Amino acid sequence: GHWETGAAMPEAFIDSIVSSQAFHQGLPLLHKVSWAQVDLELHSQDIQDAQQALYLASEILAVEDVEGSSPQTGLSSFMGPFSSGHAAGHYAGLFADVLAADAFQAFQEAKDDDSVKELGRLFRDTILAPGGGRSPLSCFRDFRGRGPKVAPLLRRLGLRRPRTAE
């Protein structure tokens, strides 16, 4: 309650605080998706020189109309994936976010402590135990029994309404 009066905070005020957590969450996601697209294109085409890479990036970012995304300054951030051998690292990071949010949702859906323990064992056996010996997508499918969904990530970012109790 209120520190002076003890009155409960109005529900509308609580809702506005919760809603404000999602404010501007779409723009960083749009940046990630746009740069992941640039990353995939740069790694899937035969780029001959820096000018060609800048042109390709500017074409993609112009279509996406990403405010504040400059191919001239942004492409320097791609040094890591090129120099470390982590091709398409921007896409891979975004895909990892999708997998993590969807896997976490499985634990949120668990009905009781026994279900959480069983799910934890399944997670250990299907995700952790194989390590790098299997593709992340195959491991995920074994864990969830289906392919990944983007909705849990959007919910985590506050860009999609929470699931209702069923």
Side-chain angles (χ1 to χ4, degrees):
H2 188 274
W3 70 279
E4 281 183 327
T5 66
M9 188 179 293
E11 198 67 31
F13 189 67
I14 293 170
D15 290 344
S16 70
I17 291 171
V18 170
S19 296
S20 72
Q21 293 176 339
F23 188 68
H24 281 297
Q25 287 298 309
L27 189 59
L29 181 59
L30 178 60
H31 282 282
K32 281 184 174 183
V33 169
S34 297
W35 283 108
Q37 184 179 358
V38 170
D39 195 7
L40 287 174
E41 289 296 324
L42 288 176
H43 284 90
S44 65
Q45 297 195 21
D46 184 25
I47 305 295
Q48 299 297 317
D49 56 40
Q51 286 300 81
Q52 189 179 0
L54 284 172
Y55 176 76
L56 178 63
S58 64
E59 288 293 304
I60 292 169
L61 296 175
V63 169
E64 300 295 335
D65 193 25
V66 179
E67 184 180 320
S69 290
S70 165
Q72 290 78 16
T73 58
L75 282 181
S76 63
S77 70
F78 277 64
M79 182 57 78
F82 280 108
S83 64
S84 65
H86 291 99
H90 288 272
Y91 173 80
L94 186 58
F95 186 63
D97 290 345
V98 170
L99 295 178
D102 198 349
F104 182 71
Q105 180 174 299
F107 287 93
Q108 291 176 310
E109 293 169 350
K111 306 222 183 295
D112 54 34
D113 287 346
D114 289 336
S115 298
V116 171
K117 288 177 185 176
E118 184 178 328
L119 197 57
R121 284 189 285 277
L122 181 64
F123 184 81
R124 179 194 61 210
D125 295 344
T126 59
I127 303 287
L128 300 177
R134 293 187 62 219
S135 80
L137 185 56
S138 296
C139 292
F140 182 87
R141 284 191 172 128
D142 288 348
F143 175 64
R144 286 293 265 162
R146 59 167 173 75
K149 295 182 180 178
V150 175
L153 176 63
L154 297 178
R155 274 192 288 278
R156 190 189 80 198
L157 295 172
L159 299 173
R160 188 167 183 167
R161 294 196 185 280
R163 296 176 69 148
T164 55
E166 296 165 0

